[in-house]
Amino acid sequence: MAHLAVFGDLFDIADRAQARFGAAEKVRVTAFVQRSRLAGCDGIDRAHAIVALPDDAPVGEWVDAVRMVHAAHPITHAAALVDHLAVAAATALADLGVEFHSPQTMRDVCDKAATRRVLDRQGRYPVPHRVAADPATLISAAAEIGFPCVVKPLSSTGSVGVSVVRDAEALAAAYRRAAVADGRVLVERYLAGPQYSVEAMSEGGEHVVLALTRKYSDPQSFVEIGHVMPAPLSDAQRSAIVRCAVDVLDAVGLTYGPSHTEIVLTEDGPMPIETHARVGGDDIWLMVHAATGVDLDEVQPDQIFGLPVLDRVRSILAGPPPQRLYQAVWFGATRAEATFAGLTVPAEIAEGQHVEVAALLADGASVRPLASSNDRIIKVRSSGTSAAEALGLAVSAAERVAAASGLPTDLTKVEATC
């Protein structure tokens, strides 16, 4: 019997596993989940067994839990589709003969300071940075690095706890935002320039880039509020960004699976922010499918269950592009507190063929000032024959829906230009 261990959200991986093996073979799925995430764990109802431990459980407890499960029902395949248990998964699976990333690779990927150290040791893309364990250390580190600087947690997603700090007076508040785990935070030099992400698929240490995404972040909270794919770039810029992403993947030793690498194109060239051993969130993996034909919801499970995928990916990428190649997402958010009473979508938007609108909050939910991706209210997906068209459709629709819905009018905006 195939036995799939999933660490964190399952999404639809259980159904895809069963479909891959067919009705003739039963696939057992065990979910390993942090206790606080259990109620909202996507796809948890499809698991045959659930192991939930406290959020602060040390890696050793996860290792023990995995070994007990493996002793009763040998694990044959494993997946971590989100970040937060990837290190525990790698450590627990290291001696079980189950294909997964190495513990060192996951430590270097999931710890932002570790990623910087790996790149420094290899002489690649140096960014002045320090780890601060308390406010006093942060003050001295920021003074050494200089302003503006970025203060953020060592490990987090969704821009939680990230601050751009422009003077010493703002450091105390930045530390409080970023010290979400053991009190340690990362402070690094602020990288000025447009932001991009590189979506890739790897196999046997070889990397195939699927798409480049132009990303837009709120200048105050640093929360991402939009992106467009494919990113409008010159051939030279595209090549430099791809090279940077591949260098990062090689540096941390990521040899298989999807990856999402975030990069800033500075005046001196591309500089990495961080990388992730998973697909890009905020619909990026769906945008990859729409823009390139590569369905990561199929390719990733196939690879997890032992099938080679890169030749198929290359073949799809070599095919003709869709007529409306460019895909965009824009999020509505606010800096004011309110109560969400639902969306009112103007008819011309609701009936449009190239724009989709979704609410990210339940009716009656509290609207909070934008501090993380969880505070966003509206999501708009659009397509176009150019990056400017796709992005313009998404931004315009988000603003009009917000106005029609009576949401606070200070909808977060940045210069959404291509």
Side-chain angles (χ1 to χ4, degrees):
M1 175 192 294
H3 183 189
L4 172 65
V6 184
F7 295 80
D9 291 76
L10 286 76
F11 303 105
D12 64 350
I13 191 71
D15 292 334
R16 292 186 179 276
Q18 191 59 67
R20 168 54 55 197
F21 284 91
E25 181 173 356
K26 183 177 176 60
V27 179
R28 182 180 182 87
V29 177
T30 298
F32 295 86
V33 186
Q34 288 177 319
R35 192 172 294 161
S36 71
R37 298 174 182 260
L38 183 58
C41 186
D42 196 342
I44 195 69
D45 59 312
R46 306 297 296 145
H48 297 87
I50 301 167
V51 177
L53 294 180
D55 290 18
D56 59 356
V59 169
E61 290 189 15
W62 291 103
V63 171
D64 292 341
V66 170
R67 287 177 176 171
M68 285 190 290
V69 170
H70 183 71
H73 301 281
I75 296 169
T76 58
H77 305 86
L81 307 180
V82 290
D83 296 313
H84 55 271
L85 287 180
V87 173
T91 307
L93 296 166
D95 299 324
L96 300 185
V98 180
E99 183 176 12
F100 199 73
H101 305 287
S102 76
Q104 188 60 57
T105 291
M106 286 298 91
R107 285 191 290 268
D108 290 340
V109 166
C110 295
D111 184 320
K112 302 178 197 307
T115 305
R116 291 285 183 221
R117 289 194 296 269
V118 169
L119 292 169
D120 281 353
R121 286 198 298 269
Q122 299 187 15
R124 294 174 169 178
Y125 311 103
V127 175
H129 67 279
R130 298 287 185 274
V131 174
D134 52 60
T137 308
L138 176 60
I139 290 172
S140 61
E144 181 180 351
I145 290 170
F147 297 101
C149 61
V150 176
V151 179
K152 55 187 173 182
L154 296 184
S155 178
S156 68
T157 59
S159 301
V160 174
V162 180
S163 301
V164 180
V165 180
R166 304 190 183 278
D167 54 57
E169 287 71 25
L171 285 172
Y175 178 82
R176 289 193 297 270
R177 286 192 70 202
V180 295
D182 60 0
R184 296 186 303 151
V185 304
L186 176 65
V187 54
E188 60 186 23
R189 178 170 293 168
Y190 173 71
L191 300 172
Q195 303 170 45
Y196 299 87
S197 66
V198 179
E199 326 309 330
M201 193 73 193
S202 302
E203 187 175 274
E206 185 176 0
H207 315 294
V208 171
V209 171
L210 308 175
L212 273 64
T213 310
R214 171 71 161 96
K215 301 163 73 71
Y216 301 88
S217 297
D218 171 58
Q220 292 188 30
S221 64
F222 234 45
V223 176
E224 185 175 336
I225 56 174
H227 38 257
V228 64
M229 171 199 301
L233 291 161
S234 69
D235 289 344
Q237 290 172 326
R238 183 178 302 275
S239 295
I241 291 172
V242 166
R243 181 70 261 162
C244 178
V246 169
D247 285 345
V248 172
L249 297 178
D250 285 342
V252 299
L254 195 71
T255 59
Y256 83 97
S259 59
H260 171 74
T261 305
E262 299 177 8
I263 290 169
V264 175
L265 185 57
T266 72
E267 291 183 352
D268 298 323
M271 296 294 287
I273 303 173
E274 58 194 44
T275 192
H276 303 271
R278 56 163 172 79
V279 301
D282 286 345
D283 282 10
I284 285 179
W285 85 101
L286 299 174
M287 294 167 67
V288 168
H289 188 196
T292 71
V294 176
D295 187 353
L296 288 165
D297 281 334
E298 292 186 356
V299 171
Q300 184 180 9
D302 282 352
Q303 188 182 60
I304 289 169
F305 301 124
L307 296 179
V309 298
L310 277 202
D311 285 347
R312 189 199 328 168
V313 167
R314 290 192 186 93
S315 177
I316 295 171
L317 292 175
Q323 182 177 4
R324 298 184 69 84
L325 168 65
Y326 292 89
Q327 310 292 315
V329 166
W330 200 258
F331 295 95
T334 181
R335 301 200 196 286
E337 294 184 356
T339 298
F340 183 60
L343 292 184
T344 298
V345 182
E348 62 272 20
I349 295 176
E351 296 168 2
Q353 297 182 2
H354 307 304
V355 174
E356 299 176 359
V357 180
L360 300 177
L361 298 177
D363 289 5
S366 296
V367 175
R368 300 180 301 182
L370 184 65
S372 78
S373 59
N374 295 326
D375 300 324
R376 298 174 303 193
I377 309 166
I378 305 168
K379 179 179 70 177
V380 179
R381 280 272 309 275
S382 62
S383 65
T385 57
S386 69
E389 180 189 2
L391 191 62
L393 285 171
V395 172
S396 174
E399 293 177 351
R400 292 166 66 192
V401 169
S405 303
L407 293 170
T409 55
D410 58 340
L411 185 70
T412 302
K413 301 175 184 177
V414 298
E415 185 182 356
T417 60
C418 297

